[in-house]
Structures are given as structure tokens and as C-alpha cells.
Amino acid sequence: MEKKFEELLRENGFKCNADGRQWMANKIGALPAHKIKAEKWAPVLVYAEKIGGCRPGEVYTYANAQGTTSQARVASIYKLPENMINPVLVCFSGIMTAHLCCFETLRFYAKQHDELLPLLAIGKGGNKGLYETVFNRKAGIMVGSEYNAYLNVLSYLAPTSYVRENERICKDIDTAGNFDELYQFAKESNQETTFILCSGNFSYDKRLLAEFMLKASDPKYKDAKMNFVIAHCPIITKLHVVDGRLSEILLGYIAASLGPLTKDTITFEGETKSANPERYLMPEVMDADWNAFKELISCYSNMGWPNYEELLYGTDHEEAVLHIILSDLRARSCFTKDSYDVEIKQDLEDYQNFLGKYNGSPLRADFLDYLKETPEEKYF
């Protein structure tokens, strides 16, 4: 079987981008997913949170575009920092657990501060290669882009006028693009802004901050003062949606979060071996037991790139490309173009049964009252 794959990959020049993956999918079709056992992967997820996630209470100091220093703070989704300047809750990252984590953040902030956080959703205006059939539909929840999917979902939980109040067309294509979207929002707001980053991904914090903090020092951003708070999301494996249960897709998100952490890094003191550093070297990363993630990164990187495996494990490039393609094809068997919407709606129904559905007016005051009266119990 692998010989056949190698022949096809060679025919296609070992392309591993969205077009290359789709070409292989057209030739081969989806492959059966791995049998994923919770007892095997549970400790890997816990360690992934330790290495890729940040702990509430942590603070990172970094150079900013204004020529001074700023601090990125880490908090729980259930208890945000005090004294945030013009806070805005940001729902993004693609994983379809982010909206529920955002809503938990939103309602507990309302309870604790008697205020409604402004909401912003961002995420690719284009489509990921893996999810082309999901986003390229005329109707549904996950249609067109990630940010639009989040707005569609959140409109089931909150007044549409509130959810879409800050809607804008997102043109980003990667994490760097996400930063530029936030910069543009802060610039247009014409005020210092604190972005509360809620990704729904417990292993993504360090990758996100490593890249955001380095970009934040670029003088081209000096006309917009931005502060960052990571709302750390818990490990979630009990949802219906494929991103929120043990699956090829969830493991792919984790692999893509951890894989780049040692690539093209620069220390906070300015030391680097890279000609083009892309991210800060975060605490604990170099001391991690990367062998604990070898199977994860080698066999489940359906959203990642072969250079992660090459760098971490010395894998030959062509073999690493083969592994990426295999993981992509297995991931394609985990969903259909419609199953995401079905599973998202099941999760929404469960969540609304827990909260009590909002049936009030579009008025912000009415929605705020509703949030304050929701259960004191945490959903996650």
C-alpha cells in the first residue's frame, strides 16, 4: 500500500499543500480512521496541555511595537484578569469547541462584572484543504469561513445583533493573518484594546503567544496599542462534534499546535539560530519529552506540515510527506460535508438544556440579565 502512495506522491512532486492533499484524496479516497483508545491517549492529552498550553496566572513580558514592553496574561475561561483596558472577546482558531468556551467566558464575566463583553470572531476567509467540502456549501452552519461558522453558531445562543455587531470580512490565511485582523480591528477602534483570545484548544496557547508576541514588536503596528489575554480552555473530549471528542481531527489540532514550537524560534533575549525566526521559544518547550508526541506528530498531523516531523525526529522529507498525506486521508473519513452541522447542533442542544435557552429580546440589557441568571455551575 505505501509503495502505491509513494509512486503517486512522486508523480505529484511530493506536494503537501491543500492542492496536493486534494489530488491524493481524488486518487485514493478517504482511508479508515485509526481506532483511538481513550486509555492510551488521555495521558498524551494531559502532557500536551502542559507543553502546549499555558497556566492561568502566568505572565509573559515581551517587546511591543511602541518601543516599550507589554505583558500577555493567562487566565481561566471562568475568571478573567481584572483591570483589562477595553476588553474584546475573540472566538477563533477553527476548532468547533471555541464557541462554547467563549460563551462560558462571556456568561461568567457577566456574572462577575455585570458587563457584556464585546465579541469578535475571526478565522480564514478561504477554506482549508481538508474541509473544502464542508465550507464550500451554499447553506448551513459551517459555510464560507471559520469566522462565519462561529457567528452562525453563536447566533443560536445570543441575539444576532450582538453576535454580529463587530462582524467584518476576514482575509487571514494563517496565525500571522489572525494577528493582522486584530491589529486592523484595534486600529479602526482608535483605542487601546485588550484581546481575550479564546481558541477552544487546550494545547494551542504557547504556539499562539509565541507567534503573536514576536509579531507585536514590529514597528508597523505601532499605531494600535494591543494587549493580549489567553483564556485557557480545558481539555474537552465529551462533545458530539468530531473536534470535541477523541478523533483523528482532535489529535490533528493538537499535533498542529505542538509541532511548530521548536521551529524557527528566537529567545526572549534575542538569541536564534534561524535566519527568519517566526516565534519566541516558550518555557518548557526545549525540555519537553518530544518522544511522548512522536506518534501524534508522525501519524496524526492532518493539519500540519512535514517539517515538524523532520525537525523533531530526523525523519526523511519524503517519508514525512507520506505520513502527512496518510493522516489527511484518514481524517477525511471522520466527517462528511453535513455531519459537522449535525454534531454542532447536538452540542448546542445539550448546552441549551444545561443553560436554559435565551428567548428574550435583542436588547443587550435583557441578554446581560439572562447571562447573569444562568447556572453557577461550570459546563467544562
Side-chain angles (χ1 to χ4, degrees), residues 80-112:
L80 296 177
E82 301 293 331
N83 304 318
M84 295 183 292
I85 299 172
N86 298 318
V88 176
L89 180 60
V90 184
C91 185
F92 80 113
S93 81
I95 190 169
M96 295 311 294
T97 56
H99 53 283
L100 296 181
C101 291
C102 270
F103 206 85
E104 285 290 273
T105 305
L106 183 69
R107 72 186 189 93
F108 273 82
Y109 188 85
K111 289 174 179 291
Q112 294 157 8

Side-chain angles (χ1 to χ4, degrees), residues 43-75:
V44 178
L45 267 59
V46 170
Y47 193 50
E49 182 181 32
K50 173 180 171 60
I51 300 304
C54 293
R55 300 173 185 84
E58 290 180 343
V59 177
Y60 298 89
T61 302
Y62 60 96
N64 61 32
Q66 289 74 36
T68 58
T69 59
S70 293
Q71 290 185 325
R73 294 180 283 176
V74 184

Side-chain angles (χ1 to χ4, degrees), residues 57-266:
E58 290 180 343
V59 177
Y60 298 89
T61 302
Y62 60 96
N64 61 32
Q66 289 74 36
T68 58
T69 59
S70 293
Q71 290 185 325
R73 294 180 283 176
V74 184
S76 162
I77 61 173
Y78 293 109
K79 181 64 176 176
L80 296 177
E82 301 293 331
N83 304 318
M84 295 183 292
I85 299 172
N86 298 318
V88 176
L89 180 60
V90 184
C91 185
F92 80 113
S93 81
I95 190 169
M96 295 311 294
T97 56
H99 53 283
L100 296 181
C101 291
C102 270
F103 206 85
E104 285 290 273
T105 305
L106 183 69
R107 72 186 189 93
F108 273 82
Y109 188 85
K111 289 174 179 291
Q112 294 157 8
H113 297 275
D114 192 26
E115 291 180 10
L116 190 59
L117 281 170
L119 178 68
L120 177 66
I122 61 174
K124 294 180 177 62
N127 300 321
K128 294 179 180 177
L130 183 60
Y131 295 124
E132 184 176 4
T133 58
V134 178
F135 285 109
N136 285 346
R137 296 179 297 149
K138 293 183 178 180
I141 293 176
M142 288 185 68
V143 171
S145 64
E146 293 168 3
Y147 82 87
N148 191 55
Y150 286 135
L151 295 177
N152 287 339
V153 178
L154 288 165
S155 292
Y156 281 86
L157 301 171
T160 301
S161 56
Y162 160 71
V163 170
R164 295 188 176 271
E165 183 176 33
N166 296 313
E167 182 176 4
R168 54 194 308 276
I169 301 302
C170 297
K171 299 181 176 65
D172 59 75
I173 57 171
D174 51 25
T175 308
N178 287 331
F179 186 94
D180 289 342
E181 291 293 336
L182 298 182
Y183 160 72
Q184 193 64 36
F185 181 88
K187 184 178 177 181
E188 291 172 2
S189 300
N190 198 31
Q191 61 183 10
E192 182 174 352
T193 306
T194 299
F195 292 110
I196 305 159
L197 306 173
C198 187
S199 71
N201 183 342
F202 59 90
S203 63
Y204 187 46
D205 300 344
K206 281 182 184 165
R207 178 186 171 182
L208 177 61
L209 279 183
E211 297 175 16
F212 269 25
M213 291 190 297
L214 186 58
K215 282 188 70 69
S217 64
D218 192 324
K220 73 180 183 180
Y221 300 115
K222 66 182 180 180
D223 55 346
K225 183 69 168 68
M226 296 180 286
N227 307 306
F228 297 107
V229 169
I230 289 283
H232 176 70
C233 301
I235 297 174
I236 298 171
T237 59
K238 301 297 184 181
L239 299 181
H240 294 285
V241 73
V242 67
D243 307 18
R245 52 183 162 86
L246 276 174
S247 67
E248 301 270 347
I249 299 298
L250 177 58
L251 295 180
Y253 273 109
I254 301 169
S257 301
L258 299 175
L261 286 177
T262 63
K263 178 182 176 293
D264 290 319
T265 60
I266 184 170

Side-chain angles (χ1 to χ4, degrees), residues 350-362:
D350 289 347
Y351 190 52
Q352 288 177 322
N353 286 339
F354 168 76
L355 287 184
K357 188 174 182 179
Y358 180 65
N359 292 311
S361 77

Side-chain angles (χ1 to χ4, degrees), residues 11-62:
E11 179 184 342
N12 200 39
F14 281 88
K15 291 179 182 176
C16 200
N17 58 10
D19 290 341
R21 298 181 192 206
Q22 187 62 54
W23 187 88
M24 287 294 291
N26 292 340
K27 293 285 186 180
I28 301 293
L31 295 178
H34 291 103
K35 292 182 179 179
I36 299 173
K37 296 181 179 179
E39 59 270 22
K40 171 183 176 178
W41 287 101
V44 178
L45 267 59
V46 170
Y47 193 50
E49 182 181 32
K50 173 180 171 60
I51 300 304
C54 293
R55 300 173 185 84
E58 290 180 343
V59 177
Y60 298 89
T61 302
Y62 60 96

